[in-house]
Amino acid sequence: MSAFSSLAGRMLVAMPGIGDPRFENAVILLCAHGPDHGMGLRIDRPAPGVDLAQVLRKLELAADVEAAEGRPVLVGGPVERERGFVLHTDDWLVPDASVPFGEGLAITGTREALLAMIDPVHGPRRAVLALGYAGWGDGQIEEELAENVWLVADADLDLIFDDDHDGKWAGALARIGVDAAWLSSDAGHA
């Protein structure tokens, strides 16, 4: 048996015909990955009709939410969809709350992180709020990789924090040298 290699800080890019409509054309950034678990955030799907300003108002967090107007909130995944995670650059961290991973990334699930998103001086350089997450159990990611459900790509801050959500899937594929037009949802064997 080979040694375990964590994919935390890398992206899972859905293959066509994944068989789960929740993950069609998905790009998921893995925030944690161990032999018995995986946790990631989908980075390519804005929540319809929701922006960061609305979330801040609902939580009564900031009097001045002008900086948050129009900033998308992502559907991070189907698990705990009411729970928010701020995905951000690791230049801003909350001791005992932020979890750094990959190269230059961190995730924080506090109200302080939400306020930091609209603080251009003291907040993280780049940040996005995701509601919910994608989760995997013991060996599930490895099994899905063996079944060619996902391709693995290196994380790219420009892609992760880009507002062109419709282009992220093709962009992630391009970063690993795959043209989306070449992919088929039909599996075959040689």
Side-chain angles (χ1 to χ4, degrees):
M1 179 170 216
S2 64
F4 175 80
S5 180
S6 177
L7 296 174
R10 300 195 66 200
M11 298 184 300
L12 296 180
V13 185
M15 288 291 288
I18 191 169
D20 185 337
R22 298 172 302 173
F23 296 109
E24 287 294 328
N25 295 337
V27 180
I28 296 177
L29 177 65
L30 284 174
C31 304
H33 179 224
D36 60 350
H37 73 284
M39 181 272 188
L41 298 175
R42 186 167 180 174
I43 60 169
D44 65 316
R45 188 170 167 208
V50 179
D51 71 4
L52 183 58
Q54 291 169 304
V55 172
L56 293 174
R57 282 189 200 101
K58 182 177 180 180
L59 296 174
E60 299 177 357
L61 283 181
D64 179 22
V65 296
E66 189 174 301
E69 293 288 344
R71 284 185 63 178
V73 172
L74 301 178
V75 176
V79 182
E80 294 188 49
R81 294 176 66 165
E82 293 296 315
R83 186 171 177 192
F85 299 90
V86 177
L87 172 63
H88 56 90
T89 49
D90 69 357
D91 55 333
W92 179 91
L93 298 170
V94 176
D96 300 323
S98 297
V99 179
F101 67 95
E103 292 185 33
L105 292 164
I107 187 172
T108 307
T110 65
R111 290 173 178 248
E112 183 180 359
L114 288 170
L115 290 173
M117 289 180 70
I118 59 171
D119 184 339
V121 176
H122 303 292
R125 187 171 41 90
R126 297 168 102 174
V128 65
L129 173 63
L131 299 177
Y133 66 93
W136 291 266
D138 188 6
Q140 189 177 0
I141 290 176
E142 293 74 19
E143 186 177 305
E144 291 178 4
L145 288 170
E147 294 171 358
N148 295 317
V149 172
W150 303 100
L151 294 174
V152 178
D154 290 332
D156 180 294
L157 293 180
D158 289 333
L159 181 82
I160 291 167
F161 294 107
D162 190 351
D163 285 337
D164 177 15
H165 301 291
D166 291 336
K168 285 189 181 184
W169 183 70
L173 289 171
R175 282 168 172 71
I176 55 176
V178 176
D179 184 331
W182 298 343
L183 296 177
S184 168
S185 61
D186 297 326
H189 301 282

